[in-house]
Amino acid sequence: MEAPPSQSVSPVPANEVNEMQTFATIGYYGDGWADTVFPVRLTIVGDPLFIDGTSARGLSFEIPHGHRFATDTPFLIQADVLQFSTTGETTHGGVVHGGVYPNHCQHLYPTTTHRVRLVLNGGATLDGVHPVLPNQTDLFELISSSGERVTDPVLGLADLGSDLAEGHTSLTYRADGDNFLDVCLDSSKGSIGTIAKVRMPCDTIQLVLPKGKPVCTDNSINVTMHDVGYN
């Protein structure tokens, strides 16, 4: 059975200039928690353009059976170790987004030199509503090529809200609600050149998508190491 076309497509909430790679669609795709009708394929039929001007028309993605609405859980889909830059970051929040932007690493942790940029399959939350806090660094473990956990250079998490966690709980913290997170690093405190993998230890700390359940399962992803400098 062919589903009707999407009613709307938007990069929001992952719409900062240096994000813009995950798009949410709105439409009539199945029967939700009943889990008897669900999408199995996404095909681009319009003409959205990549940054180089080429069209995405005709691209198609087969949706794995385990990624149905009723069963899907948060997991890592991309991890990049990068020198920190404010290029593409939203630097002011205005009236609508006050308390959310700026939310980049150097705003929260001025000594930041690098970051591990994480992309998840959806916005990860603590309970379906309330956001992750910048001091919850145990949610993501950086693993070295020798299998050891890398902790010394880690300052905290960012790309959440414009405040540190102090004085807030998950009930009061304002975050951007998207699927991008940064692990902020200070290379003067420890080597970052050995980071090889990122793990979500869901056996001890459990996250959920905005729909609320089920909780994540332990997963990890290899990092892409960009030009990070000397260490």
Side-chain angles (χ1 to χ4, degrees):
M1 178 175 66
E2 185 171 340
S6 298
Q7 303 299 301
S8 177
V9 180
S10 174
V12 175
N15 60 335
E16 291 188 76
V17 174
N18 61 356
E19 295 172 343
M20 295 293 291
Q21 68 183 68
T22 57
F23 287 75
T25 68
I26 298 174
Y28 302 96
Y29 303 137
D31 56 5
W33 293 111
D35 199 28
T36 64
V37 180
F38 42 83
V40 297
R41 181 185 303 109
L42 170 69
T43 301
I44 299 175
V45 298
D47 284 300
L49 301 180
F50 293 109
I51 196 169
D52 64 359
T54 58
S55 174
R57 177 187 283 270
L59 293 179
S60 183
F61 177 71
E62 302 292 327
I63 302 172
H65 186 69
H67 295 177
R68 307 185 312 282
F69 171 83
T71 61
D72 207 9
T73 65
F75 60 88
L76 293 161
I77 61 173
Q78 185 176 323
D80 296 274
V81 182
L82 303 156
Q83 291 195 57
F84 182 78
S85 169
T86 57
T87 300
E89 296 286 352
T90 300
T91 56
H92 57 86
V95 176
V96 175
H97 296 294
V100 176
Y101 301 109
N103 60 17
H104 59 76
C105 282
Q106 282 188 349
H107 173 73
L108 297 181
Y109 317 101
T111 63
T112 297
T113 60
H114 297 76
R115 64 180 163 193
V116 183
R117 164 139 287 193
L118 304 178
V119 186
L120 286 81
N121 63 320
T125 71
L126 300 178
D127 54 10
V129 176
H130 298 106
V132 170
L133 298 176
N135 62 352
Q136 293 185 284
T137 54
D138 286 345
L139 294 173
F140 304 98
E141 296 181 351
L142 307 183
I143 308 299
S144 72
S145 53
S146 62
E148 299 175 344
R149 187 174 175 186
V150 177
T151 59
D152 288 345
V154 175
L155 299 171
L157 304 181
D159 206 351
L160 294 163
S162 65
D163 294 334
L164 291 169
E166 285 72 20
H168 289 281
T169 69
S170 62
L171 299 177
T172 63
Y173 194 81
R174 293 193 64 191
D176 60 13
D178 66 31
N179 58 324
F180 284 72
L181 287 159
D182 288 344
V183 181
C184 307
L185 308 173
D186 181 346
S187 62
S188 71
K189 296 181 179 298
S191 176
I192 64 172
T194 62
I195 298 172
K197 182 180 295 187
V198 181
R199 174 179 176 243
M200 284 179 62
C202 296
D203 53 342
T204 57
I205 301 175
Q206 298 177 330
L207 298 176
V208 295
L209 295 171
K211 63 193 175 79
K213 61 179 182 180
V215 299
C216 66
T217 57
D218 195 281
N219 66 96
S220 61
I221 190 171
N222 292 333
V223 306
T224 298
M225 184 71 67
H226 297 262
D227 183 12
V228 298
Y230 64 90
N231 67 346

